[in-house]
Amino acid sequence: MALDGLEITTHGNDARGEYHAHVPGSDKIGRLTWISRGNARIADHTIVPPEIGGQGVAAALVQKLVADAKDQGFTIVPQCSYVEAQFRRHPEWAELRAETPR
């Protein structure tokens, strides 16, 4: 479900970063955090406060990560259970999935 007016911003640097989801009318922020390892981003946490939950915020954060992977040429390690579940729901993302770096 797409949330009207949802804005997703990116923060961080080449080593680590976050996507922030800003929901209209709320000061609460949903977040997806990642750590860079080589050409992969390890998506390690998706956090959505209960006040803005159930509106598709977490899914929108993952979709932004996937869109950036396609545009910027990195792969994703879905370490976070929510990101992992989204990868299972979207087999078309398989080429973007990286194995866990050792």
Side-chain angles (χ1 to χ4, degrees):
M1 163 169 77
L3 181 62
D4 286 340
L6 178 68
E7 179 187 2
I8 298 179
T9 58
T10 57
H11 307 269
N13 54 41
D14 290 340
R16 65 181 55 241
E18 298 186 0
Y19 292 90
H20 290 184
H22 305 271
V23 176
S26 177
D27 62 347
K28 303 297 180 186
I29 297 172
R31 297 172 38 218
L32 186 154
T33 63
W34 58 268
I35 300 167
S36 182
R37 292 289 183 267
N39 191 44
R41 288 188 182 174
I42 302 169
D44 57 353
H45 299 289
T46 304
I47 305 128
V48 177
E51 295 87 350
I52 59 172
Q55 301 180 62
V57 172
L61 287 164
V62 176
Q63 289 168 358
K64 175 63 171 151
L65 173 67
V66 167
D68 283 355
K70 289 176 181 177
D71 290 345
Q72 298 171 25
F74 61 83
T75 56
I76 300 167
V77 177
Q79 187 176 68
C80 164
S81 61
Y82 184 82
V83 178
E84 172 64 34
Q86 289 298 304
F87 264 80
R88 283 194 308 269
R89 288 186 189 110
H90 294 277
E92 68 274 17
W93 296 349
E95 74 279 358
L96 299 174
R97 184 185 187 106
E99 294 302 316
T100 304
R102 305 235 183 250

